[in-house]
């Protein structure tokens, strides 16, 4: 992999910076409501003091989910991938205006979706399952965010094509390769939600359809919903595979394994959405079983990733003098906030993976379905594995983009540890509450059925939420103080791109060919989803009226 | 393990040990949830 430095133009830095700015503002606002949910569970209901600004727990939960799970991630990812495409290919975007149009579409969509949420006209949570019915602007706004991200992705594809034309036969640089696969996955995966929005939810919300088919809509949603997790994860993996090793003084253990894992994620991420619908009566058990098996197949590239990333870290630590079976971990640069955040994110992500396998198990899922176990799980994955990694990336990327020295790196390290501790307390409690039968998406403080055995765990949920709130506040302080600092960086910020132990050009050429992988991806989707979608569409029943349950 | 200076000599033994612990943890935690499932009887 070429790790030669490349200077991104100030204009491109500015463009990437705007993505991060919107992302971090969304994280800031959305994160205000996360602790409020946790406090409510602990019996400290602050929502009543927010009325009439915020009218209910569910409006807060919608803001938290949409802003943190959808907006923070999508804007950060499109910004970060813009960086990795430009830096990886060592050339500017082919059509910067196209990417600018995409970004502006995303911003317009965000504003359009935010208005009904803030007016309590779209309190439908971030999954927006019908027959709950939001204002049309919510659906149109989210659609524009997705379309804008598509347009940015097209800009990446054109840039790749231009680079390929200039570099025939050259192995695609890994960080750019991973970025293009991530965007391709996103374009394929979001077909589900696009069809849902355009053929049902938007016309329904505008009164053009008499009703909606909840079963079909949920199937479209989860066609997108599970690969959405990999859209969040793959940018984090780009950093873990190819950037974190450089930050710890090492190299990428295997370029070929990394590329192979990314191809497998592309192939296997989409055709497994029914594992989110195990209790949906309209999906026959055989299809649920097929999707369960495909879900377990993702364990393979996940383990490839775990092995390659940890081996890269071990290599770097041993280069720094680390010794022993586990003692080498002490030789990692834990005082670097970017490294600490990503290492802690990865550590908790291990447990997120375990919970994910329990969720995906057809029978075991029945113990967990719609319980607090599920948000406990995804706060380890998207809430920590992804978010804390993005925070870690921002600790070098923001100084790189602004030319400013990171404000108080020790505070940034403390922020990462507080997130880690807070999330352990919060998530562990949520997992146990789920196993005890506590439902998710429920203001438990108001529930009259709370058994005594839940109480200590509910209290811990509140404590975890409070620690996470402090961590989030420190992050925003560090970011804001860095941005507005008058202190320029004393030395140029190095972009951490690791060399591979083995020259990527020596790896198998089939890992850099697109057609077989893309054909396999589409074929597996047709096999795994085609018959059921055909049946659901053939028997579509637009009979359910919309409900406003808030 | 001694400090490695050559790429070819590197054997990620610590990584393998960590992944073995991970798999054991996975089996134990998954199994504990499965026991909860069994404990609740056939209808959950």
């Amino acid at each position: 992999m070429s790790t030669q430095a490349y200077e991104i133009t100030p204009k491109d830095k500015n463009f990437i910076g705007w993505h991060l700015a919107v992302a971090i503002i969304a994280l800031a606002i959305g994160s205000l409501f996360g602790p409020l949910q946790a406090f409510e569970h602990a019996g400290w209901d602050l929502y009543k003091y927010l009325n009439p600004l915020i009218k209910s727990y569910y409006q807060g939960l919608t803001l938290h989910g949409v802003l943190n799970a959808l907006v923070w991630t999508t804007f950060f990812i499109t910004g970060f991938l813009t960086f990795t495409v430009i830096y990886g290919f060592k050339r500017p975007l082919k059509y910067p205006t196209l990417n600018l149009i995409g970004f502006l579409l995303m911003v317009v969509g965000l504003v359009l979706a935010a208005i009904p949420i803030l007016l309590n006209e779209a309190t439908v949570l971030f999954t927006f399952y019908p027959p709950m019915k939001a204002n049309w602007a919510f659906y149109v706004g989210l659609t524009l965010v997705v379309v804008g991200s598509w347009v940015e992705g097209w800009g990446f594809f054109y840039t790749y094509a231009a680079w390929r034309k200039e570099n025939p036969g050259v192995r695609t640089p890994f960080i750019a390769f991973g970025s293009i696969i991530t965007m391709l996955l996103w374009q394929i995966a979001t077909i589900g939600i696009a069809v849902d929005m355009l053929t049902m939810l938007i016309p329904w919300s505008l009164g053009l359809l008499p009703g909606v088919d909840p079963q079909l809509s949920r199937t479209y949603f989860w066609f997108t919903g599970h690969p959405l997790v990999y859209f969040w994860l793959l940018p984090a993996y780009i950093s873990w595979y190819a950037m974190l090793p450089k930050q710890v003084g090492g190299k990428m253990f295997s370029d070929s394994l990394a590329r192979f894992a990314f191809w497998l994620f592309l192939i296997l991420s989409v055709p497994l959405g029914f594992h989110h619908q195990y209790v949906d009566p309209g999906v026959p058990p055989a299809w649920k079983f097929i999707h369960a098996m495909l879900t377990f197949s993702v364990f393979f590239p996940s383990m490839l990733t775990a092995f390659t990333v940890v081996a890269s870290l071990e290599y770097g630590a041993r280069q720094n003098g680390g010794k022993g079976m586990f003692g080498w971990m002490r030789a990692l640069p834990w005082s670097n906030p970017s490294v600490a955040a990503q290492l802690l994110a990865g550590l908790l992500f291990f447990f997120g993976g375990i919970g994910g396998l329990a969720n995906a198990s057809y029978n075991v899922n029945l113990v967990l379905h719609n319980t607090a176990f599920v948000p406990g799980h995804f706060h380890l994955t998207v809430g920590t594995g992804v978010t804390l990694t993005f925070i870690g990336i921002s600790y070098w990327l923001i100084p790189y983009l602004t030319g400013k020295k990171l404000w108080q790196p020790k505070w940034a390290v403390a922020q990462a540890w507080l997130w880690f501790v807070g999330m352990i307390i919060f998530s562990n409690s949520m997992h146990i509450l789920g196993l005890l039968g506590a439902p998710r998406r429920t203001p438990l403080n108001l529930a009259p059925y709370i058994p005594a055995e839940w109480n200590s765990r509910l209290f811990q949920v509140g404590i975890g939420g409070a620690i996470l709130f402090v961590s989030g506040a420190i992050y925003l302080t560090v970011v804001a103080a860095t941005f507005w600092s008058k202190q320029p960086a004393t030395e140029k910020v190095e972009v951490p791109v690791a060399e591979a132990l083995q020259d990527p050009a020596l790896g198998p050429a089939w890992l850099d060919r697109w057609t077989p992988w893309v054909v396999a991806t589409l074929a597996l989707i047709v096999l795994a989803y085609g018959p059921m979608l055909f049946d659901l569409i053939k028997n579509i029943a637009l009979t359910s009226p919309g409900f406003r349950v808030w | 393990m001694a400090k490695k200076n050559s790429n070819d000599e590197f054997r990620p033994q610590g990584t393998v040990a960590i992944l073995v612990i991970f798999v054991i943890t996975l089996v134990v935690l998954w199994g504990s949830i499965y026991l909860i499932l069994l404990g609740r009887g056939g209808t959950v």
Side-chain angles (χ1 to χ4, degrees), chain A residues 413-431:
Chain A
V413 172
Q415 178 276 321
W417 279 101
L418 280 172
W419 193 283
F420 180 73
V421 171
M423 195 57 84
I424 288 175
I425 297 171
F426 169 82
S427 179
N428 182 55
S429 314
M430 292 288 278
H431 278 90

Side-chain angles (χ1 to χ4, degrees), chain A residues 308-328:
Chain A
T308 312
V309 170
V310 179
S312 303
L313 297 174
E314 183 181 350
Y315 178 82
R318 294 198 188 283
Q319 294 302 306
N320 295 335
K323 297 188 188 309
M325 186 68 81
F326 302 108
W328 57 268

Side-chain angles (χ1 to χ4, degrees), chain A residues 103-181:
Chain A
F103 175 70
L104 293 176
L105 275 174
M106 289 169 65
V107 172
V108 170
L110 168 60
V111 172
L112 201 56
I115 291 169
I117 298 176
L118 291 169
L119 293 175
N120 200 29
E121 293 296 324
T123 302
V124 290
L125 311 185
F126 88 99
T127 43
F128 50 89
Y129 290 146
M132 284 197 296
K133 188 177 186 181
N135 182 281
W136 63 268
F138 172 79
Y139 302 116
V140 173
L142 284 189
T143 303
L144 285 178
V145 172
V146 172
V147 171
S149 67
W150 284 355
V151 174
E152 291 226 51
W154 300 339
F156 298 161
F157 299 156
Y158 280 120
T159 305
Y160 174 52
W163 174 87
R164 174 53 75 202
K165 200 171 171 186
E166 295 159 359
N167 297 272
V170 177
R171 200 57 50 91
T172 313
F174 179 77
I175 60 171
F177 167 87
S179 307
I180 298 293
I181 289 191

